[in-house]
Amino acid sequence: MELNVEILKKMARAIATTTDKEIGCDDCFEFVDIFVESQLQGKNPAEAMPLVEAHLNRCANCHEEFEALLVAIKATTDNNH
Ligand SMILES: [Zn+2]
C-alpha cells in the first residue's frame, strides 16, 4: 500500500513538471510551420515536438492556424509536381 502512495506521488510530480513545460501561443506559432512541414514530409513531428503537439491539442486558435498552414503548404507542394 505504501508503495502505491509513492507511485502516485511520483506521477503527480511528473504531471506537474510536464505542465511547467507547456508552451504558449507565441512559442507554438514559431514552431507550427516546421511542425506542418515535417508532417507533410511523412515524419512524426508529434514525437519530435511534443510540446507543440500538446499545445495544438488544447488551443483552438493555434489548431486553426495549424490546419490553415497544412492546407497552404500542401497546395504549394502539389503545384511543384
Ligand atoms: Zn495557442
Side-chain angles (χ1 to χ4, degrees):
M1 283 307 183
E2 271 179 40
L3 187 66
N4 285 341
V5 172
E6 281 309 303
I7 290 168
L8 284 175
K9 277 185 189 167
K10 271 181 194 161
M11 280 173 68
R13 262 201 297 273
I15 291 163
T17 309
T18 308
T19 311
D20 278 351
K21 285 180 187 164
E22 268 182 24
I23 60 171
C25 291
D26 287 349
D27 293 320
C28 184
F29 191 76
E30 249 180 69
F31 292 109
V32 71
D33 56 337
I34 304 168
F35 193 94
V36 169
E37 273 177 32
S38 54
Q39 178 161 313
L40 288 174
Q41 284 164 14
K43 293 174 188 168
N44 189 355
E47 200 173 83
M49 294 176 272
L51 294 176
V52 176
E53 163 82 359
H55 186 87
L56 289 174
N57 282 337
R58 68 188 171 79
C59 179
N61 285 340
C62 289
H63 197 266
E64 217 170 87
E65 178 70 25
F66 161 73
E67 292 202 325
L69 264 176
L70 194 66
V71 172
I73 295 176
K74 205 167 188 285
T76 312
T77 311
D78 286 347
N79 286 339
N80 288 340
H81 283 300

